[in-house]
Amino acid sequence: MAYIGDFFRRRMFSRKRNEEAVVEDVDYAEAPGRRIVMRDRARAASEQEPALPTFRASAMDRPTAFGDRGGSQPRDLLHARLLLRDVFTPAQPVTERGRFAGRLGVLARLIEIIEEQRSHVVIYGERGIGKTSLVHILSDIARDSRYMVVYASCGAQSRFDDIFRAILSEIPQLYLRSVSPTDVEAEGGATLADRLPAETFDARELGNLCAQITGTRVIIVLDEYDRIQNPEFRQSVAELIKNLSDRAARVQLILTGVASNLQELIGYIPSIRRNVVGLPMPRLTDDEVRAMIRIGENAAGVRFEEQAIQLVALLSNGSPYLARLLSHHSAMRGLDDGRMTVTVPDIRGALDKIVEEAEGQVAPRTIANLAQVSGEGQAIGLAAAARAGSTPDGWFKVKEVMAHLGPNRNAQTVADDLRALSGVDGLLQVDLDGTEPRFSFRDEALPVYLMMLNARNQMKEDAARAEPAPAAVKG
């Protein structure tokens, strides 16, 4: 008992000394009947440290306590910011049908090909034109009609058996004609992948297995098919398409990729021409760009001024990627300024950020060489070439560049300039095999950088000319 008493006395003595130490570090303000602790010295010192940037929202997409970076931004602006991030998603495809703008005619045609013609489909077009968004929305709609949709993204080193083994692992054996719902395979969650050979398999074996599917229809999406470099993979896919069509299997393939035509993506294979329908992805019209912006306005409560909408449509050149990128950055700039309205100056601010981001995607040596030729007066020609190079394969001819230049430019002079630029490291390459030369940019990130850089510089010049001249000082 004496030990316990000594223990508590030591604890109380120690606590008293600690409290005295704390009192020495605390400032007090006297109040009637009590003392109120205001702050201690440690906190006062911390308040002098610079405030670090913070996230405006949590990982659950909710505004954080410090998300407004100082507590001065109203919650409606924070809420609008969160919503706009999901609508204007330049780095991600559209996955929700309520945020899918334009392309309704293309989507209707795709559904018709699948449902009415029972054909396989090849969706092709330039990079960033909306192919992946289209197949995501189609998948969502198809599942509503009880289709089974399996999505796979292709890579340069993808193997035929690896890709399709993973695809079939998502299809239950319950849908095989030979399997009863009460069978052990069906009740145990077995998949079609369990019916494949343990090692490799070919298109014929895969087609025979898929031909046994019943009770549903299966859509297999092979996205970014253009990345496949192995010719044996492509030949196997062609054989699979032929096998599935000949067996009237309830399985259809959708291939998407960067290409200017059907043959460029799947090759010239006469045996499957009647089994495949090519579906090109056109550029967005101005009305479709406007519809995309309206979705963002309705979702977040912001408003784009009419002139700002027209600028987005003009600068994006029909690219969904650029339209979303411009809309995103300009809307965020307006919100940062405490406004729910997007104006022309916000578009200029968006261009500053886009140019900075795009420059980081281009090789430094290319940027240095570009600065040199720009100083020689060839920047306008390069900007026109960048717009002309907005094609699926990136190649363009002199006449296509001329369409983006003034009427007084000489075609031969433009051709000579382009040939000269093809000799500059990192800029253009030239193909002289055809009846007339064609050109393309060596760096696929360069055209966007050039277009946005030229647009930003032009808008700055226009804004400077619009400013009133300073009044003369009277002497």
Side-chain angles (χ1 to χ4, degrees):
M1 294 296 292
Y3 169 78
I4 296 175
D6 290 340
F7 173 79
F8 277 103
R9 280 193 294 272
R10 287 196 300 269
R11 288 292 302 273
M12 293 298 293
F13 178 75
S14 174
R15 180 181 300 174
K16 182 177 181 181
R17 292 195 60 182
N18 289 337
E19 288 174 349
E20 291 173 353
V22 171
V23 166
E24 292 177 356
D25 288 339
V26 176
D27 297 329
Y28 290 91
E30 294 294 333
R34 62 193 179 109
R35 294 186 302 175
I36 303 174
V37 178
M38 298 297 291
R39 62 179 182 273
D40 59 29
R41 295 174 186 172
R43 182 175 178 184
S46 67
E47 288 179 348
Q48 297 175 3
E49 297 178 357
L52 296 176
T54 63
F55 286 89
R56 289 187 171 96
S58 71
M60 299 178 67
D61 294 332
R62 296 174 182 172
T64 61
F66 305 101
D68 53 358
R69 300 179 187 173
S72 60
Q73 194 169 48
R75 290 188 65 86
D76 61 337
L77 296 179
L78 290 173
H79 187 60
R81 184 182 298 275
L82 290 175
L83 293 171
L84 286 173
R85 288 172 185 166
D86 293 333
V87 177
F88 299 137
T89 53
Q92 297 177 341
V94 178
T95 58
E96 296 183 23
R97 65 181 77 180
R99 293 167 182 165
F100 185 71
R103 310 297 195 196
L104 299 184
V106 178
L107 179 60
R109 174 63 178 144
L110 177 57
I111 293 173
E112 178 188 358
I113 294 170
I114 293 171
E115 185 174 36
E116 304 296 338
Q117 299 180 227
R118 303 294 193 206
S119 294
H120 307 275
V121 190
V122 175
I123 304 172
Y124 58 90
E126 62 191 89
R127 198 174 307 281
I129 203 66
K131 301 179 294 295
T132 300
S133 294
L134 179 68
V135 294
H136 275 302
I137 299 304
L138 170 79
S139 301
D140 190 37
I141 295 173
R143 291 186 182 107
D144 284 350
S145 296
R146 310 301 294 274
Y147 279 73
M148 177 167 288
V149 184
V150 186
Y151 173 93
S153 182
C154 301
Q157 305 303 320
S158 296
R159 291 168 47 91
F160 177 82
D161 48 355
D162 290 340
I163 285 279
F164 280 94
R165 190 182 298 276
I167 288 172
L168 264 61
S169 69
E170 299 188 36
I171 305 176
Q173 285 193 23
L174 176 64
Y175 292 110
L176 287 179
R177 188 178 297 112
S178 58
V179 175
S180 169
T182 58
D183 288 350
V184 175
E185 294 89 345
E187 293 183 346
T191 68
L192 266 63
D194 299 323
R195 295 291 186 103
L196 292 170
E199 300 299 327
T200 61
F201 55 90
D202 58 23
R204 180 186 58 80
E205 294 172 294
L206 180 60
N208 290 343
L209 180 58
C210 289
Q212 300 178 40
I213 292 176
T214 187
T216 188
R217 300 197 70 88
V218 178
I219 297 174
I220 297 175
V221 178
L222 296 183
D223 199 11
E224 299 190 273
Y225 188 72
D226 59 292
R227 297 179 61 193
I228 297 294
Q229 298 178 356
N230 187 348
E232 294 181 1
F233 189 120
R234 292 174 178 262
Q235 182 63 37
S236 295
V237 169
E239 292 176 5
L240 176 62
I241 289 174
K242 182 71 166 59
N243 193 295
L244 293 173
S245 299
D246 290 347
R247 302 285 300 271
R250 300 175 68 85
V251 179
Q252 292 163 270
L253 267 62
I254 298 178
L255 314 181
T256 78
V258 177
S260 56
N261 55 63
L262 176 64
Q263 281 71 32
E264 187 177 315
L265 194 59
I266 65 171
Y268 183 76
I269 306 176
S271 60
I272 67 169
R273 288 185 64 182
R274 63 187 180 87
N275 308 126
V276 176
V277 175
L279 187 63
M281 285 290 289
R283 287 179 164 269
L284 291 175
T285 65
D286 288 356
D287 287 341
E288 289 175 326
V289 173
R290 188 180 297 273
M292 178 189 299
I293 293 174
R294 293 300 182 214
I295 290 175
E297 290 181 322
N298 294 335
V302 300
R303 186 181 68 82
F304 282 68
E305 290 185 347
E306 177 59 28
Q307 193 173 359
I309 295 175
Q310 293 175 4
L311 273 173
V312 171
L314 175 65
L315 296 174
S316 64
N317 198 28
S319 165
Y321 165 73
L322 287 179
R324 289 193 175 92
L325 190 63
L326 286 161
S327 300
H328 171 83
H329 282 314
S330 58
M332 293 303 174
R333 188 181 185 278
L335 293 175
D336 286 340
D337 201 31
R339 291 178 284 103
M340 295 286 282
T341 302
V342 181
T343 64
V344 170
D346 294 326
I347 303 294
R348 287 201 296 267
L351 285 171
D352 286 335
K353 187 164 287 189
I354 292 171
V355 168
E356 180 182 353
E357 293 174 354
E359 184 174 337
Q361 299 170 359
V362 180
R365 178 179 295 182
T366 301
I367 295 294
N369 292 334
L370 182 63
Q372 179 182 350
V373 300
S374 297
E376 298 170 358
Q378 293 177 315
I380 300 299
L382 272 174
R387 291 183 75 89
S390 300
T391 59
D393 58 5
W395 288 96
F396 56 91
K397 297 179 180 179
V398 173
K399 62 182 179 182
E400 292 159 346
V401 178
M402 294 291 296
H404 298 286
L405 292 171
N408 297 326
R409 299 298 294 269
N410 181 272
Q412 186 58 52
T413 302
V414 172
D416 293 341
D417 287 346
L418 292 174
R419 287 207 183 194
L421 291 170
S422 66
V424 179
D425 183 31
L427 294 187
L428 295 180
Q429 57 185 343
V430 58
D431 176 15
L432 301 174
D433 291 340
T435 56
E436 56 182 310
R438 60 178 191 155
F439 305 86
S440 69
F441 286 90
R442 296 183 184 275
D443 190 332
E444 67 176 19
L446 194 52
V448 170
Y449 171 68
L450 286 168
M451 287 191 293
M452 298 297 101
L453 177 65
N454 182 66
R456 184 194 69 176
N457 294 342
Q458 187 64 51
M459 288 190 70
K460 285 185 175 181
E461 292 175 6
D462 293 343
R465 284 195 295 267
E467 291 180 0
V473 178
K474 294 182 179 180

